[in-house]
Structure formats: structure tokens, C-alpha cells
Amino acid sequence: MFSRQNRMIASFFVAGDAVLALASYWFAYSARAHFFPHLREFWVTPFYLWIIPLIPVIWIGVGLSIGVYRDILEENWRFVFWNPVKVCVTCSLILAALTFAARVLYVSRLLMVLFIAADLAAMVLFRLFVRNFGGALRDTFGSKRNFLIVGRTPEAFEIAREIESHRARGLDLGGFAVLDSPGGDRLSSAESGLERSYPVYALSELPELLRGHVIDEVIFAVSRGELEKLDETFLVCEEEGVKTRVLVSFFPHVISRVYLERLREMPLLTFSNTPENEFLLLLKRLLDFAMAVAVAIVLSPVLLVLALVIKLTSQGPVLYRQTRCGLGGRKFTLYKFRSMRRNAHLQRGELTPLNELDGPAFKIRDDPRCTPVGRLMRRFSLDELPQLINILKGDMSFVGPRPPLPEEVTHYERWQRRRLRMQPGLTCLWALEGRNQLNFRRWMELDLEYIDTWSPALDWKILLKTIPVVLLGRGAS
């Protein structure tokens, strides 16, 4: 399905789920107050008002984070049943954790059970309704679209198959128009792999087709050479007010996402192979900031003790400052607890033969420059705790490729430099596969895999899996 249409349908489900969550809470509160008043003392309404604004925020945030609105397939039973279960279970755990953390002991457990049960039932019924009556809704609100495809390439057939697969959503294929065809024949399903055969028209017939048939959109899936001959065809479509789309697979890109943006009135075809969803990236930044504040407060006694131990056991400053490369290669100052003797960087040249990593990175398992306290901190990554400052400042995130040294970046191969296009972080996929035990190429490949598959759900997965790795000191040096 076209991404814009998918976003519109996703917005419909987001709004629907938020409203259903609020309605379910009202239903559960009313049921608890009227039908079970004598089970336990039930506090009056004002004590529960603080939950109401939290409900849509938590429900929408969880749904977006775990990706239930990414691909809306209402005909899929997994979307109808399993996605509501995931959302309700996750949200109930978050809500329970918040009430426990805030020590709000008066919240009725029966109220919460009724609320989650009602919301789960409402979400499933909502999806069943859309699944069964979606066609009538589309007819009512005019979302049917008829397409004509210009071209007879393998890509044209792939687009046609995609349109066929979404016929239930009102997408219908009217046929093909070919530049060098006299028209009048039909494209067989055996040749194209489509479910049925379609008429093939000569491109010169397009003006008459637009007048005599209902065609809402024309998709051009032709070679670059053929595209240069279609100026007149584009003008005909523009004059008729028909939407046109152009497949740009002939451009030399492999994994980039392509979209059109305007700089004032100038259309710019844009290629991007890094995350572009501004809303989700903003959500990532807000969560990073909130988590950094919370972790800094909770671990403040540990931070103070470590700072005191470092000061008492070795000469030099408590914090070690180092220039690193951040987003897009921007340089920033990274903070760590000092784990080495003073002026240890002056000895690096002598230790180069002992480097255990390939490529431009440098690491020694039992680095002789480390202090006893520093060696212990490194084993459990305690030396990296001051990087909470970098997260608060916006230089880093909790999850992302590790920020490299500028001298390491100068030795990168061209494909490896793409890892600089994501905010660096404390942990990433490499931390789950061996940390310092990985070779340099595999490390780079995992960072790029993270960039290509990034989502808030992936960040949480990495964070949760990193905790036992850090606590057990696996792969650290």
C-alpha cells in the first residue's frame, strides 16, 4: 500500500485506540463503582483523574513503539487479535509500574483488571468492524482508486501485483500503456504473474483513455531512456488533473528511501538511507533525556562513591575527557571516569603492537595503563556512567553506534562512514554479540544493520538485553 495512505489509515487506528482506551476506563470505573461497591473501599473520582491524561499517551506511545501501526493489514488475523493483546499487556505493565513507583496504593486492582479487559475487547471489536465493513466505509468516504501503469517492465508487473493484493482496499488496476505497442492486445496472467489478464493500450491512446475511462492515477514504470520521451504524456495527465507517479528504480541506489520534498516551489527528489521519521526520533530524544535524568538520580550515590575512590587511589582528574565524532561527524567531548594512570595516552604508541582489534580501533584486554579500580570499572562498564552528561546534552543516545575517535574515522572505508549518520550511543547490536570480541568489519556491519532496521522497539530490545551483558561483564575489557 502507498505509504501516505497507510499513514492516513494508521492515524485512524491511533485515534480510535486512544478514544477506546478512554471509553474503556470510564466503563471500568462506572462498573467498579456501581456493581462492586462493597468489595473494598473505593476512592472517589478526583483521586483517579490523574490517570486519564496518561492513558492516551501510554497507549499511543506503546502502539507506535512496538510497531502495531506500521503496516495496517486489517484482513490479517494477527492485526485483529495479537496486536491488541501486545498493546494491552504492555500498557497494563507500564501503568502498574507507574502506580507502584508513585506508591498510589488506593488504585483499585479490580478497576485496572476491568479496564484492561474492556479495552482489549474494544480494540478487537473495533478491528473486526473495520475488517468486515471496511469496504462499505471506503465506498462512503470515496477512497477507491483506479490505476493505469505505463510500462511493461518487471518493475511494472511488481507494482501491478501490489495493487492487486490491495483490491479489498479499493485499489483497482485498469490496464497497461506501452510506448512501442500498437495497443489492442491483452497482457496474460502467465506472462505477468498477475491474477488476471489486463488490456494493453498504445501510449498515444492515453488522452482518449483519460476521457473515456475512470483513471485516478497513472504510474510510470519505464526505463530512463523511455522517460525522456514522455514529456507530452506528463502534460496530458497534468492538464486532466490525473495524479502521476514515477518509479525511480533506475537511479543508482540500493537501500535508500526515496521521497519528494519542496524547497519553496522547487521539487527535490530525496534519497535517504537513515531513519527519517521526525516524530519517532523526537520521541527517542525525549525518552533519552528522561531516562538519563532518572538514572543519574538513582545512581547518584554510586557516582559519588566512584568519584571519591578514583580521587583517593590515583593521581589525576576524576573525569577523562576525549574528543569523539558524533552525528554526521560532528566533534564533541565525551566524558568517562578515568580508568588509567595520568598521561596514559602518551604510551599508546608503545602499545600499538599489543592491539587486539583489527582495523583502526584500539583495545587491549589487560591494558597495563589501567589502575586497579579502573580495571574493575571497565569490566562492568562503570567508567561510562558519566556519558549520561553527553546524553543530557544531546551528543549521544542510550542506543546507537559507539562514537569513534576522529583518527579512527580517517581510516574508514566509504561504506563504513554511514554509521556516523545516526546519533551515537552507549550500546548497540554489537554489545549483544560479543562487544570487544568482534572483528572490526562485523562491528561496522552490525551498526549499519541497526540503522537500517531502527525502531523504538529495537532500542528497548537492545537496552533490555544489554543489562545482563553489563552486569555479568561479558566481552568487556
Side-chain angles (χ1 to χ4, degrees):
M1 190 196 337
F2 295 103
S3 56
R4 183 173 296 178
Q5 184 185 20
N6 191 76
R7 285 196 298 271
M8 182 179 67
I9 297 175
S11 300
F12 170 71
F13 277 98
V14 167
D17 287 346
V19 171
L20 289 175
L22 290 171
S24 299
Y25 183 74
W26 171 83
F27 168 80
Y29 184 88
S30 301
R32 173 64 178 85
H34 291 91
F35 297 109
F36 307 97
H38 305 299
L39 289 180
R40 287 183 62 184
E41 182 182 5
F42 189 57
W43 293 66
V44 294
T45 303
F47 286 91
Y48 288 91
L49 290 178
W50 63 272
I51 299 179
I52 294 176
L54 280 179
I55 289 173
V57 173
I58 294 174
W59 258 250
I60 293 173
V62 167
L64 292 172
S65 297
I66 65 180
V68 300
Y69 305 114
R70 190 177 300 121
D71 294 309
I72 305 297
L73 301 171
E74 61 266 28
E75 67 277 6
N76 190 320
W77 289 109
R78 180 184 179 87
F79 176 80
V80 173
F81 290 104
W82 179 236
N83 282 355
V85 169
K86 288 196 297 184
V87 170
C88 286
V89 169
T90 307
C91 290
S92 63
L93 292 174
I94 293 175
L95 204 55
L98 288 174
T99 55
F100 178 78
R103 298 189 178 184
V104 186
L105 303 179
Y106 57 78
V107 174
S108 168
R109 283 175 286 184
L110 178 58
L111 169 64
M112 291 295 105
V113 170
L114 290 173
F115 168 43
I116 296 302
D119 187 56
L120 176 59
M123 290 178 70
V124 170
L125 290 174
F126 176 44
R127 283 155 174 75
L128 284 173
F129 176 82
V130 174
R131 187 178 191 275
N132 293 323
F133 298 99
L137 291 173
R138 277 185 286 271
D139 291 342
T140 303
F141 294 101
S143 61
K144 286 195 170 184
R145 308 293 291 175
N146 293 340
F147 294 85
L148 179 75
I149 296 178
V150 177
R152 204 166 182 169
T153 60
E155 293 83 1
F157 298 151
E158 185 177 350
I159 291 172
R161 285 191 289 272
E162 187 67 18
I163 291 173
E164 276 191 337
S165 68
H166 290 94
R167 191 179 295 122
R169 293 191 170 182
L171 306 188
D172 190 48
L173 180 59
F176 294 80
V178 183
L179 189 65
D180 55 357
S181 171
D185 62 332
R186 295 187 69 83
L187 183 69
S188 67
S189 57
E191 176 188 350
S192 61
L194 298 169
E195 296 177 6
R196 60 186 185 186
S197 61
Y198 293 91
V200 177
Y201 305 98
L203 197 59
S204 58
E205 300 178 67
L206 185 61
E208 192 62 34
L209 279 172
L210 296 179
R211 294 188 189 96
H213 296 75
V214 178
I215 297 175
D216 300 298
E217 298 188 26
V218 176
I219 300 178
F220 292 86
V222 296
S223 66
R224 184 184 303 182
E226 290 178 318
L227 193 62
E228 296 174 354
K229 305 174 185 178
L230 298 175
D231 291 353
E232 185 63 29
T233 305
F234 279 106
L235 289 175
V236 168
C237 292
E238 187 172 23
E239 289 172 355
E240 289 277 348
V242 175
K243 181 184 288 186
T244 57
R245 303 179 190 264
V246 181
L247 181 69
V248 293
S249 59
F250 45 75
F251 280 100
H253 69 279
V254 179
I255 58 175
S256 295
R257 290 169 291 276
V258 185
Y259 57 94
L260 186 69
E261 282 196 322
R262 289 184 177 273
L263 182 62
R264 295 187 64 183
E265 297 303 319
M266 297 176 286
L268 301 174
L269 193 62
T270 306
F271 297 80
S272 176
N273 53 13
T274 55
E276 288 286 316
N277 190 317
E278 290 87 356
F279 174 79
L280 290 182
L281 290 172
L282 176 60
L283 179 63
K284 176 181 173 73
R285 173 63 190 139
L286 293 175
L287 288 174
D288 280 335
F289 187 87
M291 288 171 58
V293 171
V295 172
I297 293 172
V298 171
L299 295 184
S300 55
V302 177
L303 296 172
L304 291 173
V305 168
L306 287 174
L308 182 62
V309 170
I310 293 169
K311 193 67 177 176
L312 294 176
T313 57
S314 62
Q315 294 183 344
V318 171
L319 291 181
Y320 174 65
R321 296 168 173 83
Q322 189 177 48
T323 300
R324 296 289 184 103
C325 290
L327 183 64
R330 295 171 178 83
K331 293 182 175 59
F332 70 96
T333 300
L334 178 135
Y335 300 96
K336 300 177 73 172
F337 278 132
R338 182 175 55 81
S339 60
M340 295 186 178
R341 297 192 303 269
R342 191 187 225 172
N343 299 324
H345 62 281
L346 300 177
Q347 296 179 275
R348 175 165 172 174
E350 305 170 12
L351 300 174
T352 299
L354 302 178
N355 185 18
E356 298 175 2
L357 297 180
D358 61 336
F362 181 85
K363 184 72 71 173
I364 303 175
R365 184 178 301 276
D366 296 314
D367 197 315
R369 300 172 295 171
C370 283
T371 63
V373 172
R375 191 168 286 109
L376 180 64
M377 288 194 301
R378 283 189 163 206
R379 179 167 180 77
F380 298 100
S381 301
L382 296 174
D383 59 319
E384 297 181 2
L385 288 178
Q387 287 166 46
L388 292 170
I389 300 171
N390 293 116
I391 295 175
L392 290 172
K393 291 173 62 179
D395 297 325
M396 293 177 61
S397 170
F398 273 98
V399 183
R402 283 297 291 165
L405 294 165
E407 54 266 31
E408 292 176 0
V409 174
T410 59
H411 293 92
Y412 278 4
E413 296 179 32
R414 188 167 62 184
W415 66 271
Q416 295 167 347
R417 291 184 58 85
R418 188 161 68 89
R419 71 184 295 272
L420 299 174
R421 300 300 167 180
M422 191 75 178
Q423 194 87 344
L426 292 174
T427 183
C428 203
L429 289 174
W430 46 264
L432 311 181
E433 199 172 303
R435 299 171 81 182
N436 296 325
Q437 298 172 1
L438 293 174
N439 63 54
F440 183 75
R441 183 179 183 87
R442 180 59 181 159
W443 177 11
M444 298 295 103
E445 289 173 349
L446 286 171
D447 281 345
L448 296 183
E449 180 183 336
Y450 169 75
I451 292 173
D452 294 336
T453 59
W454 176 80
S455 69
L458 179 61
D459 277 358
W460 282 108
K461 179 180 177 181
I462 292 172
L463 275 175
L464 293 175
K465 287 190 173 183
T466 298
I467 293 172
V469 171
V470 172
L471 292 178
L472 296 175
R474 295 174 186 165
S477 60

PDB file of all heavy atoms in Angstrom, residues 229-255:
ATOM      1  N   LYS A 229      11.081  10.435 -23.308  1.00  0.00           N
ATOM      2  CA  LYS A 229      10.142  10.578 -24.418  1.00  0.00           C
ATOM      3  C   LYS A 229       8.712  10.823 -23.949  1.00  0.00           C
ATOM      4  O   LYS A 229       7.785  10.836 -24.767  1.00  0.00           O
ATOM      5  CB  LYS A 229      10.168   9.308 -25.279  1.00  0.00           C
ATOM      6  CG  LYS A 229      11.550   8.925 -25.789  1.00  0.00           C
ATOM      7  CD  LYS A 229      11.505   7.576 -26.493  1.00  0.00           C
ATOM      8  CE  LYS A 229      12.911   7.125 -26.903  1.00  0.00           C
ATOM      9  NZ  LYS A 229      12.901   5.787 -27.544  1.00  0.00           N
ATOM     10  N   LEU A 230       8.527  11.015 -22.648  1.00  0.00           N
ATOM     11  CA  LEU A 230       7.169  11.071 -22.095  1.00  0.00           C
ATOM     12  C   LEU A 230       6.756  12.467 -21.651  1.00  0.00           C
ATOM     13  O   LEU A 230       5.809  12.622 -20.883  1.00  0.00           O
ATOM     14  CB  LEU A 230       7.057  10.100 -20.908  1.00  0.00           C
ATOM     15  CG  LEU A 230       7.278   8.627 -21.236  1.00  0.00           C
ATOM     16  CD1 LEU A 230       7.266   7.802 -19.958  1.00  0.00           C
ATOM     17  CD2 LEU A 230       6.204   8.120 -22.189  1.00  0.00           C
ATOM     18  N   ASP A 231       7.449  13.499 -22.123  1.00  0.00           N
ATOM     19  CA  ASP A 231       7.117  14.867 -21.722  1.00  0.00           C
ATOM     20  C   ASP A 231       5.660  15.199 -22.025  1.00  0.00           C
ATOM     21  O   ASP A 231       4.931  15.746 -21.188  1.00  0.00           O
ATOM     22  CB  ASP A 231       8.036  15.870 -22.426  1.00  0.00           C
ATOM     23  CG  ASP A 231       9.471  15.779 -21.930  1.00  0.00           C
ATOM     24  OD1 ASP A 231       9.691  15.028 -20.960  1.00  0.00           O
ATOM     25  OD2 ASP A 231      10.353  16.430 -22.498  1.00  0.00           O
ATOM     26  N   GLU A 232       5.231  14.865 -23.226  1.00  0.00           N
ATOM     27  CA  GLU A 232       3.870  15.173 -23.647  1.00  0.00           C
ATOM     28  C   GLU A 232       2.847  14.405 -22.815  1.00  0.00           C
ATOM     29  O   GLU A 232       1.787  14.929 -22.458  1.00  0.00           O
ATOM     30  CB  GLU A 232       3.693  14.841 -25.129  1.00  0.00           C
ATOM     31  CG  GLU A 232       2.338  15.238 -25.704  1.00  0.00           C
ATOM     32  CD  GLU A 232       2.107  16.749 -25.668  1.00  0.00           C
ATOM     33  OE1 GLU A 232       3.083  17.508 -25.732  1.00  0.00           O
ATOM     34  OE2 GLU A 232       0.932  17.150 -25.549  1.00  0.00           O
ATOM     35  N   THR A 233       3.195  13.168 -22.462  1.00  0.00           N
ATOM     36  CA  THR A 233       2.283  12.343 -21.657  1.00  0.00           C
ATOM     37  C   THR A 233       2.087  12.949 -20.269  1.00  0.00           C
ATOM     38  O   THR A 233       0.966  12.977 -19.740  1.00  0.00           O
ATOM     39  CB  THR A 233       2.838  10.909 -21.530  1.00  0.00           C
ATOM     40  OG1 THR A 233       3.079  10.386 -22.837  1.00  0.00           O
ATOM     41  CG2 THR A 233       1.859  10.015 -20.804  1.00  0.00           C
ATOM     42  N   PHE A 234       3.177  13.450 -19.682  1.00  0.00           N
ATOM     43  CA  PHE A 234       3.065  14.094 -18.374  1.00  0.00           C
ATOM     44  C   PHE A 234       2.165  15.328 -18.454  1.00  0.00           C
ATOM     45  O   PHE A 234       1.346  15.578 -17.567  1.00  0.00           O
ATOM     46  CB  PHE A 234       4.453  14.500 -17.858  1.00  0.00           C
ATOM     47  CG  PHE A 234       5.218  13.372 -17.222  1.00  0.00           C
ATOM     48  CD1 PHE A 234       6.281  12.787 -17.876  1.00  0.00           C
ATOM     49  CD2 PHE A 234       4.874  12.890 -15.975  1.00  0.00           C
ATOM     50  CE1 PHE A 234       6.996  11.746 -17.310  1.00  0.00           C
ATOM     51  CE2 PHE A 234       5.576  11.842 -15.386  1.00  0.00           C
ATOM     52  CZ  PHE A 234       6.644  11.268 -16.059  1.00  0.00           C
ATOM     53  N   LEU A 235       2.305  16.109 -19.523  1.00  0.00           N
ATOM     54  CA  LEU A 235       1.485  17.311 -19.674  1.00  0.00           C
ATOM     55  C   LEU A 235       0.014  16.959 -19.836  1.00  0.00           C
ATOM     56  O   LEU A 235      -0.864  17.643 -19.295  1.00  0.00           O
ATOM     57  CB  LEU A 235       1.970  18.117 -20.883  1.00  0.00           C
ATOM     58  CG  LEU A 235       3.319  18.824 -20.724  1.00  0.00           C
ATOM     59  CD1 LEU A 235       3.744  19.473 -22.030  1.00  0.00           C
ATOM     60  CD2 LEU A 235       3.255  19.862 -19.609  1.00  0.00           C
ATOM     61  N   VAL A 236      -0.261  15.871 -20.569  1.00  0.00           N
ATOM     62  CA  VAL A 236      -1.653  15.429 -20.741  1.00  0.00           C
ATOM     63  C   VAL A 236      -2.267  15.076 -19.386  1.00  0.00           C
ATOM     64  O   VAL A 236      -3.387  15.480 -19.062  1.00  0.00           O
ATOM     65  CB  VAL A 236      -1.723  14.223 -21.710  1.00  0.00           C
ATOM     66  CG1 VAL A 236      -3.108  13.585 -21.669  1.00  0.00           C
ATOM     67  CG2 VAL A 236      -1.393  14.649 -23.124  1.00  0.00           C
ATOM     68  N   CYS A 237      -1.510  14.325 -18.569  1.00  0.00           N
ATOM     69  CA  CYS A 237      -2.007  13.946 -17.250  1.00  0.00           C
ATOM     70  C   CYS A 237      -2.213  15.169 -16.357  1.00  0.00           C
ATOM     71  O   CYS A 237      -3.200  15.259 -15.613  1.00  0.00           O
ATOM     72  CB  CYS A 237      -1.040  12.974 -16.575  1.00  0.00           C
ATOM     73  SG  CYS A 237      -0.934  11.349 -17.357  1.00  0.00           S
ATOM     74  N   GLU A 238      -1.282  16.123 -16.448  1.00  0.00           N
ATOM     75  CA  GLU A 238      -1.395  17.327 -15.629  1.00  0.00           C
ATOM     76  C   GLU A 238      -2.607  18.143 -16.028  1.00  0.00           C
ATOM     77  O   GLU A 238      -3.342  18.662 -15.183  1.00  0.00           O
ATOM     78  CB  GLU A 238      -0.122  18.159 -15.740  1.00  0.00           C
ATOM     79  CG  GLU A 238      -0.100  19.332 -14.773  1.00  0.00           C
ATOM     80  CD  GLU A 238       1.253  20.037 -14.764  1.00  0.00           C
ATOM     81  OE1 GLU A 238       1.988  19.928 -15.757  1.00  0.00           O
ATOM     82  OE2 GLU A 238       1.555  20.685 -13.755  1.00  0.00           O
ATOM     83  N   GLU A 239      -2.833  18.285 -17.332  1.00  0.00           N
ATOM     84  CA  GLU A 239      -3.989  19.043 -17.804  1.00  0.00           C
ATOM     85  C   GLU A 239      -5.299  18.386 -17.396  1.00  0.00           C
ATOM     86  O   GLU A 239      -6.296  19.066 -17.128  1.00  0.00           O
ATOM     87  CB  GLU A 239      -3.919  19.186 -19.329  1.00  0.00           C
ATOM     88  CG  GLU A 239      -2.822  20.126 -19.796  1.00  0.00           C
ATOM     89  CD  GLU A 239      -2.642  20.102 -21.304  1.00  0.00           C
ATOM     90  OE1 GLU A 239      -3.323  19.275 -21.959  1.00  0.00           O
ATOM     91  OE2 GLU A 239      -1.832  20.889 -21.824  1.00  0.00           O
ATOM     92  N   GLU A 240      -5.320  17.054 -17.375  1.00  0.00           N
ATOM     93  CA  GLU A 240      -6.524  16.317 -16.976  1.00  0.00           C
ATOM     94  C   GLU A 240      -6.704  16.269 -15.461  1.00  0.00           C
ATOM     95  O   GLU A 240      -7.735  15.839 -14.959  1.00  0.00           O
ATOM     96  CB  GLU A 240      -6.465  14.881 -17.513  1.00  0.00           C
ATOM     97  CG  GLU A 240      -6.628  14.760 -19.009  1.00  0.00           C
ATOM     98  CD  GLU A 240      -8.104  14.776 -19.423  1.00  0.00           C
ATOM     99  OE1 GLU A 240      -8.967  14.660 -18.535  1.00  0.00           O
ATOM    100  OE2 GLU A 240      -8.370  14.911 -20.625  1.00  0.00           O
ATOM    101  N   GLY A 241      -5.677  16.691 -14.731  1.00  0.00           N
ATOM    102  CA  GLY A 241      -5.750  16.640 -13.280  1.00  0.00           C
ATOM    103  C   GLY A 241      -5.542  15.249 -12.708  1.00  0.00           C
ATOM    104  O   GLY A 241      -5.934  14.974 -11.571  1.00  0.00           O
ATOM    105  N   VAL A 242      -4.896  14.359 -13.484  1.00  0.00           N
ATOM    106  CA  VAL A 242      -4.659  12.993 -13.048  1.00  0.00           C
ATOM    107  C   VAL A 242      -3.341  12.933 -12.280  1.00  0.00           C
ATOM    108  O   VAL A 242      -2.315  13.446 -12.739  1.00  0.00           O
ATOM    109  CB  VAL A 242      -4.623  12.032 -14.255  1.00  0.00           C
ATOM    110  CG1 VAL A 242      -4.261  10.622 -13.812  1.00  0.00           C
ATOM    111  CG2 VAL A 242      -5.974  12.031 -14.960  1.00  0.00           C
ATOM    112  N   LYS A 243      -3.366  12.294 -11.128  1.00  0.00           N
ATOM    113  CA  LYS A 243      -2.143  12.138 -10.343  1.00  0.00           C
ATOM    114  C   LYS A 243      -1.193  11.196 -11.053  1.00  0.00           C
ATOM    115  O   LYS A 243      -1.596  10.151 -11.571  1.00  0.00           O
ATOM    116  CB  LYS A 243      -2.456  11.589  -8.954  1.00  0.00           C
ATOM    117  CG  LYS A 243      -1.224  11.414  -8.064  1.00  0.00           C
ATOM    118  CD  LYS A 243      -1.576  10.772  -6.738  1.00  0.00           C
ATOM    119  CE  LYS A 243      -2.328  11.734  -5.861  1.00  0.00           C
ATOM    120  NZ  LYS A 243      -2.551  11.170  -4.495  1.00  0.00           N
ATOM    121  N   THR A 244       0.090  11.556 -11.104  1.00  0.00           N
ATOM    122  CA  THR A 244       1.102  10.704 -11.739  1.00  0.00           C
ATOM    123  C   THR A 244       2.175  10.341 -10.727  1.00  0.00           C
ATOM    124  O   THR A 244       2.521  11.148  -9.858  1.00  0.00           O
ATOM    125  CB  THR A 244       1.759  11.407 -12.938  1.00  0.00           C
ATOM    126  OG1 THR A 244       2.339  12.641 -12.498  1.00  0.00           O
ATOM    127  CG2 THR A 244       0.748  11.683 -14.032  1.00  0.00           C
ATOM    128  N   ARG A 245       2.687   9.132 -10.845  1.00  0.00           N
ATOM    129  CA  ARG A 245       3.784   8.658 -10.009  1.00  0.00           C
ATOM    130  C   ARG A 245       4.840   8.070 -10.928  1.00  0.00           C
ATOM    131  O   ARG A 245       4.509   7.452 -11.947  1.00  0.00           O
ATOM    132  CB  ARG A 245       3.319   7.594  -9.013  1.00  0.00           C
ATOM    133  CG  ARG A 245       2.192   8.036  -8.091  1.00  0.00           C
ATOM    134  CD  ARG A 245       1.797   6.892  -7.179  1.00  0.00           C
ATOM    135  NE  ARG A 245       0.592   7.164  -6.434  1.00  0.00           N
ATOM    136  CZ  ARG A 245       0.554   7.642  -5.189  1.00  0.00           C
ATOM    137  NH1 ARG A 245       1.698   7.909  -4.568  1.00  0.00           N
ATOM    138  NH2 ARG A 245      -0.591   7.841  -4.561  1.00  0.00           N
ATOM    139  N   VAL A 246       6.111   8.255 -10.564  1.00  0.00           N
ATOM    140  CA  VAL A 246       7.223   7.770 -11.383  1.00  0.00           C
ATOM    141  C   VAL A 246       8.090   6.849 -10.541  1.00  0.00           C
ATOM    142  O   VAL A 246       8.569   7.243  -9.471  1.00  0.00           O
ATOM    143  CB  VAL A 246       8.076   8.932 -11.944  1.00  0.00           C
ATOM    144  CG1 VAL A 246       9.205   8.388 -12.810  1.00  0.00           C
ATOM    145  CG2 VAL A 246       7.205   9.887 -12.744  1.00  0.00           C
ATOM    146  N   LEU A 247       8.287   5.615 -11.011  1.00  0.00           N
ATOM    147  CA  LEU A 247       9.210   4.703 -10.352  1.00  0.00           C
ATOM    148  C   LEU A 247      10.632   5.145 -10.669  1.00  0.00           C
ATOM    149  O   LEU A 247      10.984   5.323 -11.844  1.00  0.00           O
ATOM    150  CB  LEU A 247       8.976   3.265 -10.841  1.00  0.00           C
ATOM    151  CG  LEU A 247       9.864   2.198 -10.219  1.00  0.00           C
ATOM    152  CD1 LEU A 247       9.514   1.993  -8.753  1.00  0.00           C
ATOM    153  CD2 LEU A 247       9.743   0.881 -10.973  1.00  0.00           C
ATOM    154  N   VAL A 248      11.458   5.306  -9.646  1.00  0.00           N
ATOM    155  CA  VAL A 248      12.811   5.832  -9.851  1.00  0.00           C
ATOM    156  C   VAL A 248      13.858   4.761  -9.584  1.00  0.00           C
ATOM    157  O   VAL A 248      14.938   5.039  -9.094  1.00  0.00           O
ATOM    158  CB  VAL A 248      13.066   7.070  -8.967  1.00  0.00           C
ATOM    159  CG1 VAL A 248      12.209   8.235  -9.403  1.00  0.00           C
ATOM    160  CG2 VAL A 248      12.797   6.744  -7.492  1.00  0.00           C
ATOM    161  N   SER A 249      13.548   3.523  -9.902  1.00  0.00           N
ATOM    162  CA  SER A 249      14.484   2.427  -9.645  1.00  0.00           C
ATOM    163  C   SER A 249      15.722   2.497 -10.533  1.00  0.00           C
ATOM    164  O   SER A 249      16.710   1.810 -10.274  1.00  0.00           O
ATOM    165  CB  SER A 249      13.787   1.076  -9.866  1.00  0.00           C
ATOM    166  OG  SER A 249      13.303   0.980 -11.189  1.00  0.00           O
ATOM    167  N   PHE A 250      15.691   3.321 -11.591  1.00  0.00           N
ATOM    168  CA  PHE A 250      16.859   3.412 -12.466  1.00  0.00           C
ATOM    169  C   PHE A 250      17.957   4.285 -11.881  1.00  0.00           C
ATOM    170  O   PHE A 250      19.055   4.364 -12.425  1.00  0.00           O
ATOM    171  CB  PHE A 250      16.458   3.953 -13.857  1.00  0.00           C
ATOM    172  CG  PHE A 250      15.539   5.142 -13.813  1.00  0.00           C
ATOM    173  CD1 PHE A 250      16.019   6.402 -13.475  1.00  0.00           C
ATOM    174  CD2 PHE A 250      14.194   4.989 -14.081  1.00  0.00           C
ATOM    175  CE1 PHE A 250      15.179   7.488 -13.433  1.00  0.00           C
ATOM    176  CE2 PHE A 250      13.343   6.082 -14.047  1.00  0.00           C
ATOM    177  CZ  PHE A 250      13.826   7.331 -13.735  1.00  0.00           C
ATOM    178  N   PHE A 251      17.682   4.966 -10.757  1.00  0.00           N
ATOM    179  CA  PHE A 251      18.751   5.702 -10.092  1.00  0.00           C
ATOM    180  C   PHE A 251      19.656   4.721  -9.356  1.00  0.00           C
ATOM    181  O   PHE A 251      19.186   3.688  -8.856  1.00  0.00           O
ATOM    182  CB  PHE A 251      18.174   6.721  -9.103  1.00  0.00           C
ATOM    183  CG  PHE A 251      17.693   7.983  -9.743  1.00  0.00           C
ATOM    184  CD1 PHE A 251      16.344   8.172  -9.997  1.00  0.00           C
ATOM    185  CD2 PHE A 251      18.586   8.974 -10.088  1.00  0.00           C
ATOM    186  CE1 PHE A 251      15.893   9.343 -10.578  1.00  0.00           C
ATOM    187  CE2 PHE A 251      18.142  10.156 -10.671  1.00  0.00           C
ATOM    188  CZ  PHE A 251      16.798  10.328 -10.929  1.00  0.00           C
ATOM    189  N   PRO A 252      20.956   5.025  -9.268  1.00  0.00           N
ATOM    190  CA  PRO A 252      21.902   4.083  -8.627  1.00  0.00           C
ATOM    191  C   PRO A 252      21.823   4.136  -7.107  1.00  0.00           C
ATOM    192  O   PRO A 252      22.651   4.738  -6.441  1.00  0.00           O
ATOM    193  CB  PRO A 252      23.269   4.575  -9.122  1.00  0.00           C
ATOM    194  CG  PRO A 252      23.080   6.034  -9.351  1.00  0.00           C
ATOM    195  CD  PRO A 252      21.651   6.197  -9.829  1.00  0.00           C
ATOM    196  N   HIS A 253      20.779   3.518  -6.532  1.00  0.00           N
ATOM    197  CA  HIS A 253      20.695   3.397  -5.089  1.00  0.00           C
ATOM    198  C   HIS A 253      20.253   1.983  -4.750  1.00  0.00           C
ATOM    199  O   HIS A 253      19.633   1.304  -5.558  1.00  0.00           O
ATOM    200  CB  HIS A 253      19.727   4.427  -4.498  1.00  0.00           C
ATOM    201  CG  HIS A 253      18.292   4.173  -4.851  1.00  0.00           C
ATOM    202  ND1 HIS A 253      17.755   4.555  -6.052  1.00  0.00           N
ATOM    203  CD2 HIS A 253      17.292   3.565  -4.166  1.00  0.00           C
ATOM    204  CE1 HIS A 253      16.493   4.200  -6.101  1.00  0.00           C
ATOM    205  NE2 HIS A 253      16.181   3.594  -4.965  1.00  0.00           N
ATOM    206  N   VAL A 254      20.605   1.552  -3.554  1.00  0.00           N
ATOM    207  CA  VAL A 254      20.319   0.182  -3.148  1.00  0.00           C
ATOM    208  C   VAL A 254      19.331   0.139  -1.986  1.00  0.00           C
ATOM    209  O   VAL A 254      18.321  -0.547  -2.048  1.00  0.00           O
ATOM    210  CB  VAL A 254      21.622  -0.549  -2.754  1.00  0.00           C
ATOM    211  CG1 VAL A 254      21.323  -1.978  -2.304  1.00  0.00           C
ATOM    212  CG2 VAL A 254      22.604  -0.560  -3.917  1.00  0.00           C
ATOM    213  N   ILE A 255      19.611   0.883  -0.922  1.00  0.00           N
ATOM    214  CA  ILE A 255      18.787   0.795   0.272  1.00  0.00           C
ATOM    215  C   ILE A 255      18.135   2.117   0.649  1.00  0.00           C
ATOM    216  O   ILE A 255      17.406   2.181   1.635  1.00  0.00           O
ATOM    217  CB  ILE A 255      19.630   0.295   1.470  1.00  0.00           C
ATOM    218  CG1 ILE A 255      20.812   1.241   1.707  1.00  0.00           C
ATOM    219  CG2 ILE A 255      20.123  -1.114   1.256  1.00  0.00           C
ATOM    220  CD1 ILE A 255      21.618   0.885   2.940  1.00  0.00           C
TER     221      ILE A 255
END
